[in-house]
């Protein structure tokens, strides 16, 4: 099963101006629609963020899906004292080592491990802050031919990316029909040529 990378968070005050355009309700709606739209056909991969992991756990519970087959959560041990309680409910979490006293280096190690997976065919960006920008740059280094879908209507970093690099038209910026948005992006994604015998890392 191919995988889609989700980069998302709910922006907070004090981390740039991303919160000024962010709509937490629409971020939650978009994450929910993404999971519903792709969970039967694609594995969802994300780096554990305390504002997103509980959402995904709740949606998976509602859909009664098998976590091990449907999602892969990455988490750095650097944040072990701040893991949301939902982490323990995902049986296939991939933990990466903490770099002592270095948050940025710990995040970088987790992102390198997560985004070097060979089964990623696309990335969906929802809300978010500077971390979404960093993950997009790294994702495109590893997967230059994969699709990238910034969901503009929910605001945050994804909106800025859509305005800056995605060439979105005004109708797309305000489009809250997230289900159609995801289906269109996934239906037109280019095929990924993967050497025979290669396997996803960390699955």
């Amino acid at each position: 099963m191919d995988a889609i990378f989700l980069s998302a968070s709910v922006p907070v005050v004090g981390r740039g101006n991303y919160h000024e355009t962010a709509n937490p309700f629409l971020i939650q709606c978009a994450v929910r629609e993404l999971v519903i739209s792709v969970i039967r056909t694609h594995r969802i991969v994300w780096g554990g963020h305390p504002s997103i992991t509980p959402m995904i756990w709740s949606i998976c519970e509602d859909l009664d899906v098998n976590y091990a087959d449907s999602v892969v959560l990455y988490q750095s041990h650097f944040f072990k004292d701040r893991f949301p309680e939902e982490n323990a409910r995902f049986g296939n979490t991939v933990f990466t080592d903490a770099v002592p006293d270095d948050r940025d280096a710990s995040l970088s190690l987790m992102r390198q491990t997560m985004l070097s997976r060979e089964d990623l065919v696309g990335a969906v960006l929802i809300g978010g802050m500077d971390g979404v920008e960093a993950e997009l740059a790294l994702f495109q280094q590893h997967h230059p031919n994969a699709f990238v879908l910034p969901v503009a209507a929910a605001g945050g970093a994804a909106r800025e990316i859509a305005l800056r690099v995605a060439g979105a038209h005004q109708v797309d910026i305000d489009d809250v029909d997230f289900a159609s948005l995801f289906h269109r992006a996934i239906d037109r994604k280019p095929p990924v040529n993967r050497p025979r015998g290669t396997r996803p890392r960390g699955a």
Side-chain angles (χ1 to χ4, degrees):
M1 180 184 288
D2 289 332
I4 292 176
F5 171 60
L6 169 63
S7 183
S9 71
V10 177
V12 296
V13 176
R15 294 271 303 274
N17 61 354
Y18 301 107
H19 67 282
E20 294 176 0
T21 60
N23 184 322
F25 174 72
L26 289 181
I27 290 172
Q28 183 173 356
C29 290
V31 170
R32 183 174 183 83
E33 287 297 338
L34 173 69
V35 176
I36 292 172
S37 297
V38 308
I39 201 71
R40 309 292 182 188
T41 57
H42 295 77
R43 189 174 288 116
I44 296 175
V45 174
W46 81 103
H49 190 281
S51 67
I52 299 300
T53 298
M55 287 186 202
I56 295 181
W57 177 79
S58 176
I59 299 164
C60 288
E61 281 290 289
D62 289 346
L63 297 176
D64 192 26
V65 297
N66 184 334
Y67 302 129
D69 294 335
S70 305
V71 299
V72 182
L73 165 64
Y74 281 76
Q75 191 80 69
S76 170
H77 276 298
F78 185 86
F79 302 101
K80 63 182 179 182
D81 296 333
R82 286 167 277 174
F83 287 167
E85 64 181 48
E86 286 80 3
N87 271 24
R89 297 167 181 165
F90 291 101
N92 59 340
T93 302
V94 178
F95 292 99
T96 56
D97 292 337
V99 178
D101 301 319
D102 196 328
R103 175 184 181 276
D104 290 345
S106 298
L107 275 174
S108 179
L109 176 61
M110 184 200 73
R111 288 168 172 158
Q112 286 284 356
T113 304
M114 174 174 63
L115 295 175
S116 63
R117 291 176 62 102
E118 295 170 346
D119 59 344
L120 293 173
V121 297
V124 175
L125 319 177
I126 301 173
M129 300 174 280
D130 51 334
V132 168
E133 302 262 12
E135 289 178 348
L136 172 61
L138 192 56
F139 177 84
Q140 291 182 314
Q141 287 178 22
H142 286 287
H143 308 282
N145 297 319
F147 79 87
V148 174
L149 175 61
V151 177
R159 182 181 182 88
E160 294 189 11
I161 292 167
L163 290 169
R164 188 176 69 237
V165 302
H169 302 293
Q170 185 63 40
V171 65
D172 295 322
I173 294 297
D174 296 322
D175 187 359
V176 295
D177 184 356
F178 300 128
S180 296
L181 196 64
F182 297 139
H183 283 298
R184 289 199 302 271
I186 292 165
D187 288 346
R188 71 182 180 219
K189 73 180 188 299
V192 174
N193 296 321
R194 187 176 305 140
R196 182 178 298 177
T198 59
R199 299 180 60 185
R201 288 191 288 267

